């Protein structure tokens, strides 16, 4: 296997909205380079990248796929990614290790929703980006409209390098304004003829060429001086300037392609080779200490794990990028995340589901390793004595949740193992084992994402499960202070139980004054694991209750707070003062005082105008202005409170607070009312009082559950 110097490696991630032709583009690049001798198609279910059965069934990418090819002495690692927002977790890892992002745009549909989301991630990771306007042979193709939309969405740095001589059914030629040449393709695609630009297009081509020269020159002082002196830049100077501008994200070049007919991909690969950055040139990753970590081909071995994929006959295949030295099988390295020693197994390059074993991986390259123990996505492996930990990938917050229920008892451990494996392979899936709600809750990126998880649980892991509506983690509190007395007295032969407590139970707020008629001896503030506080005040005088019973009183109160008196939900933000009571020299014990405190607290709570609190989330909806009215009206029906609106390029951002209960399946509704053009994020904000009808319903459901 040929070993490539890092300067001859290009790591390219292909991004774009579902249906923009990413998989076909990757397939054609592989074919044009000679990596494969026959092109597959999505329709025939035989492409290199979309090889999973579920991808073949849905005719779309669901998982990221890894391929590589040689183009004129340069190794190009291609990563084909899904184009649906539900699978954004499959994109974050590849973007983290890519040196160039290749955005595919559908020339009929222009800039679509997922492209906007993916663009934000590319900017977050500072990945130099190139646009490919694809499907130029489609009847409704509109290249210039797509370019205009791209500039509106992504900025004036979007710069035309190529444009089609004609579009639609007549598409057969591309005009390149960098090389001032027209590429005319034969009927079946492939290698084009290089022709002079037709007279009818010379004026437009020269104008675009001049704009390109000016963009390149203004980003480099040396080139600017040459341009002022000579009025032009030669091809070598242009490529040098384009390279610097691309690396610094000062230009986003636009190319043309018809991937399905093999037209235009060769020139794109040539540009990636000649102008695209190698791994040594892009912005280096940060360590967890905030320092830049430069790739060092001559340094000690360092590798970053960014993707896990499991195959039944192989086990876990973990993809990594080498950030230092030369990685070889059998190496003993240290996993910085858990300080364990790991020995590297066999190393592979992958082409879809095919694997090719290699004996070494150079710095800057991407490969996979099998049988790597105690290692996960985001781990950094390094040689002993050279500690380094690279900044982990930040996966997007989830937007939807569901509870999973087993139809068959006894499979709980199997379900836990399956969910753990799904999370390992896709860290954007969050698994919550909620003791509070007594449910296993799966948090994902959308309905389609959850459907894939359900499919895996049933078909891959053989579990009989169903997805049900998850419960809401409500909270309880009170709105007024109440004094209560409770005596616990029990005699059943032998030693009995006796305890009496007087409690003042109040709603707690920060900075509230001490009780007016009670002297406080000791204050204990307890931060509750579910949010809020319990403030416990010992106000006993005269020794009517021994101090040794105070912990038992606190335990009794806490027991009832964990299983709230009103609805069974957890209580919060309450101050309890024990100010009087009595005890028996023989029959009083901790159990008796715990019971007395629990019952006294329950009675006081129910008399103190209890209030149900519901979780409220802060959401941010990104939507085209055409759908603003519909989205805002819908938020009103969900008890949403609009907090503000901002413009972001061609899109609008609506910020609002909405109760969690009203966000059930919201992502699906949002896609439906905006024809798939809107996205949203959500984050927990606070707890707020639930409406009376919600409180009554929750109390009724809890009563029915207790009765059952």
């Amino acid at each position: 296997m040929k070993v490539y110097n890092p300067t001859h490696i290009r790591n390219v991630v292909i991004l774009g909205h579902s249906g923009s032709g990413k998989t076909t583009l990757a397939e054609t690049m592989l074919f044009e380079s000679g990596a494969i001798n026959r092109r597959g198609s999505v329709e025939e279910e035989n492409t290199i990248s979309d090889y999973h059965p579920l991808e073949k069934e849905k005719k779309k990418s669901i998982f990221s796929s890894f391929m590589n090819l040689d183009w004129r002495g340069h190794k190009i690692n291609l990563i084909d990614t899904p184009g649906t927002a539900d699978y954004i977790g499959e994109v974050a890892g590849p973007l983290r290790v890519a040196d160039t992002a290749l955005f595919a745009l559908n020339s009929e549909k222009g800039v679509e929703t997922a492209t906007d989301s993916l663009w934000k991630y590319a900017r977050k990771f500072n990945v130099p980006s190139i646009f490919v306007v694809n499907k130029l042979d489609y009847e409704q193709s509109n290249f210039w409209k797509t370019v205009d939309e791209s500039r509106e969405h992504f900025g004036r740095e979007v710069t035309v390098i190529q444009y089609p001589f004609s579009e639609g059914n007549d598409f057969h030629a591309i005009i390149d304004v960098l090389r001032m040449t027209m590429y005319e393709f034969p009927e079946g695609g492939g290698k084009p003829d290089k022709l002079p630009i037709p007279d009818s297009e010379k004026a437009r081509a020269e104008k675009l060429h001049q704009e390109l020269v000016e963009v390149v020159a203004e980003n480099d002082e040396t080139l600017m001086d040459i341009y002022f002196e000579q009025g032009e830049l030669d091809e070598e100077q242009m490529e040098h300037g384009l390279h610097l501008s691309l690396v610094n994200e000062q230009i986003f070049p636009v190319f043309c392609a018809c991937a399905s007919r093999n037209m235009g991909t060769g020139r794109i690969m040539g540009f990636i080779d000649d102008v695209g950055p190698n791994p040594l040139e892009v912005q280096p990753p940060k360590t967890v200490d905030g320092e830049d970590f430069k790739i060092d081909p001559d340094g000690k071995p360092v590798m970053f794990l960014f993707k896990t994929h499991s195959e039944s006959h192989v086990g876990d295949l973990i993809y990594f990028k080498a950030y230092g030295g030369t990685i070889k099988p059998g190496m003993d390295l240290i996993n910085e995340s858990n300080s364990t020693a790991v020995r590297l197994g066999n190393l592979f390059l992958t082409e879809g589901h095919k694997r090719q074993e290699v004996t070494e991986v150079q710095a800057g390259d991407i490969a996979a390793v099998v049988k790597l123990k105690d290692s996960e996505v985001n781990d950094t492996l390094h040689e002993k004595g050279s500690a380094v930990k690279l900044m982990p990938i930040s996966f997007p917050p989830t937007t939807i949740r569901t509870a999973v229920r087993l139809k068959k008892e006894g499979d709980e451990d199997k379900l836990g193992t399956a969910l753990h494996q799904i999370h390992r392979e896709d860290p954007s899936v969050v698994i919550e084992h909620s003791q509070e709600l007594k449910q296993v809750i799966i948090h994902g990126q959308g309905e389609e994402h959850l459907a894939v998880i359900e499919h895996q649980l049933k078909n891959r892991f053989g579990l009989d499960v169903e997805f049900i509506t998850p419960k809401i983690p409500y909270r309880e509190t009170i709105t007024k202070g109440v004094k209560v007395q409770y005596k616990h007295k029990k005699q059943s032969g032998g030693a009995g139980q006796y305890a009496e407590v007087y409690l003042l139970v109040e709603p707690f707020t920060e900075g509230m004054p001490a009780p007016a008629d009670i002297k406080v001896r000791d204050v204990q503030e307890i931060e509750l694991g579910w949010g809020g506080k319990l403030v416990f005040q010992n106000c006993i005088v005269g020794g009517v209750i021994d101090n040794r019973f105070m912990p038992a009183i606190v335990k009794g109160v806490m027991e009832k707070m964990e299983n709230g008196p009103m609805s069974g939900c957890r209580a919060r933000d309450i101050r309890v003062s024990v100010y009087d009571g009595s005890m028996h020299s023989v029959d009083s014990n901790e159990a008796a005082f715990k019971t007395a405190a629990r019952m006294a607290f329950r009675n006081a709570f129910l008399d103190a105008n209890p209030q149900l609190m519901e979780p409220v989330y802060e959401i941010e909806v990104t939507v085209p202005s055409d759908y603003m009215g519909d989205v805002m009206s819908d938020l009103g029906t969900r008890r949403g409170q609009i907090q503000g609106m901002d413009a972001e390029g061609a899109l609008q951002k609506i910020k609002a607070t909405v109760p969690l209960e009203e966000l059930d399946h919201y992502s699906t509704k949002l896609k439906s009312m905006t024809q798939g053009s809107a996205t949203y994020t959500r984050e927990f904000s606070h707890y707020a009082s639930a409406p009376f009808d919600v409180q009554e319903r929750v109390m009724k459901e809890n009563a029915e559950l207790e009765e059952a």
Side-chain angles (χ1 to χ4, degrees), residues 206-234 237-238 241:
E206 287 173 358
K207 180 177 181 292
L208 290 170
H209 176 78
Q210 198 62 32
E211 290 176 359
L212 179 60
V213 172
E214 291 173 3
V215 168
V216 169
E218 73 180 18
N219 290 325
D220 185 275
E221 288 185 11
T222 303
L223 293 178
M224 180 66 81
D225 291 340
I226 295 172
Y227 176 60
F228 280 144
E229 288 176 14
Q230 301 177 3
E232 182 59 280
L233 298 175
D234 62 29
Q237 292 164 342
M238 285 291 291

Side-chain angles (χ1 to χ4, degrees), residues 597-657:
R598 184 174 67 246
M599 297 305 296
F601 177 78
R602 174 188 176 277
N603 294 344
F605 194 99
L606 294 175
D607 286 340
N609 288 349
Q611 173 68 57
L612 191 71
M613 310 286 286
E614 62 180 349
V616 176
Y617 277 64
E618 191 174 87
I619 73 167
E620 187 173 274
V621 184
T622 303
V623 60
S625 55
D626 292 349
Y627 298 104
M628 280 274 288
D630 293 339
V631 171
M632 292 178 71
S633 295
D634 180 70
L635 287 173
T637 67
R638 296 174 183 274
R639 298 189 279 128
Q641 299 290 323
I642 305 298
Q643 303 297 311
M645 291 172 284
D646 293 306
E648 185 178 88
L651 301 172
Q652 298 290 325
K653 275 189 174 181
I654 303 171
K655 295 182 180 180
T657 54

Side-chain angles (χ1 to χ4, degrees), residues 1 3 5 56 87 102 106 133 146 148 158 162 176 251 271 287 369 399 460 467 519 559 561 563 595 641:
M1 181 67 190
V3 177
N5 183 286
K56 293 179 179 181
Y87 310 123
L102 198 65
N106 185 330
V133 181
T146 301
D148 289 342
V158 173
Q162 296 179 331
D176 192 305
I251 190 172
F271 185 86
T287 66
V369 59
T399 63
R460 176 181 167 188
F467 282 4
K519 184 177 181 180
E559 275 187 11
M561 287 189 71
N563 183 24
T595 300
Q641 299 290 323

Side-chain angles (χ1 to χ4, degrees), residues 230-351:
Q230 301 177 3
E232 182 59 280
L233 298 175
D234 62 29
E235 188 172 319
E236 185 177 335
Q237 292 164 342
M238 285 291 291
E239 288 188 350
H240 173 71
L242 277 168
H243 174 76
L244 293 177
S245 298
L246 184 62
V247 170
N248 294 323
E249 300 178 77
Q250 295 165 327
I251 190 172
F252 305 120
V254 178
F255 284 82
C256 296
C258 175
S260 63
R261 291 169 60 188
N262 190 14
M263 296 180 180
T265 53
R267 176 72 177 103
I268 295 167
M269 289 188 287
F271 185 86
I272 290 170
D273 280 2
D274 299 336
V275 176
N278 67 55
L280 306 179
E281 296 172 316
V282 294
Q283 185 169 318
K286 299 282 187 183
T287 66
V288 291
D289 297 324
E291 302 291 327
D292 286 346
F293 187 82
K294 295 273 189 181
I295 291 180
D296 185 0
D298 301 317
K300 295 179 180 180
V302 176
M303 52 195 286
F304 178 75
L305 313 183
F306 69 91
K307 166 70 180 170
T308 299
H309 173 66
S310 183
E311 295 183 10
S312 56
H313 56 290
V314 177
D316 283 345
L317 197 65
I318 302 182
Y319 288 89
F320 67 90
K321 183 174 182 178
Y323 279 98
T326 301
I327 310 297
K328 296 182 179 181
M331 273 186 167
D332 291 316
L333 300 176
I334 300 297
N335 185 330
E336 185 65 20
S337 297
N338 52 30
S339 301
T340 58
V342 294
R343 175 163 291 181
L344 300 186
N346 296 339
L347 305 178
F348 295 94
L349 298 181
T350 60
E351 194 172 277

Side-chain angles (χ1 to χ4, degrees), residues 477-478 506-508 528 531-534 561 571-575:
T477 193
I478 55 176
E506 305 167 281
F508 170 75
L528 302 172
K533 283 184 179 181
L534 164 65
M561 287 189 71
R572 57 175 283 169
D573 297 325
I574 294 170
R575 185 169 74 179

Side-chain angles (χ1 to χ4, degrees), residues 365-527:
D365 209 349
I366 290 172
V369 59
V370 296
K371 299 176 182 177
L372 194 61
K373 292 183 178 179
D374 302 317
S375 298
E376 306 277 351
V377 168
N378 278 332
D379 288 351
T380 304
L381 309 186
H382 57 78
E383 197 174 72
K384 188 176 181 180
S386 58
V388 60
K389 187 174 183 180
L390 298 179
M391 186 71 73
I393 303 160
S394 176
F395 288 91
T398 58
T399 63
I400 194 170
R401 65 190 197 121
T402 186
V404 57
R405 181 166 64 192
L406 285 164
K407 294 183 179 179
K408 175 184 171 185
E409 289 187 11
D411 281 345
E412 289 77 13
D413 289 345
K414 191 176 177 182
L415 175 64
T417 301
L419 291 174
H420 175 70
Q421 184 62 29
I422 287 171
H423 171 71
R424 287 191 75 233
E425 296 174 19
D426 182 2
S428 73
V429 179
V430 177
I431 308 301
E432 177 190 359
H433 296 269
S434 176
Q435 296 298 319
E436 174 187 356
L437 303 178
K438 297 177 177 60
Q439 287 183 319
V440 177
I441 299 174
I442 301 172
H443 301 260
Q445 302 297 328
E447 295 277 5
E448 199 172 317
H449 194 204
L450 294 182
V452 168
I453 295 169
E454 185 176 18
H455 182 276
Q456 288 182 301
L457 290 173
K458 290 179 177 178
N459 296 280
R460 176 181 167 188
F461 296 101
L463 289 163
D464 190 7
V465 299
E466 62 177 335
F467 282 4
I468 59 175
T469 302
K471 299 174 185 175
I472 303 294
Y474 294 107
R475 297 286 179 262
E476 296 181 15
T477 193
I478 55 176
T479 58
K480 73 173 186 179
V482 170
K483 286 184 176 180
V484 67
Q485 173 268 343
Y486 189 87
K487 182 185 291 185
H488 175 65
K489 189 175 181 181
K490 185 177 180 182
Q491 192 73 40
S492 55
Q497 287 192 4
Y498 180 88
E500 183 182 26
V501 294
Y502 287 73
L503 303 181
L504 169 62
V505 179
E506 305 167 281
F508 170 75
T509 56
E510 293 289 347
M512 66 186 295
D517 55 344
I518 299 175
K519 184 177 181 180
V520 179
R521 290 181 54 202
D522 182 56
V523 179
Q524 183 180 357
E525 287 197 7
I526 302 171
E527 296 283 349

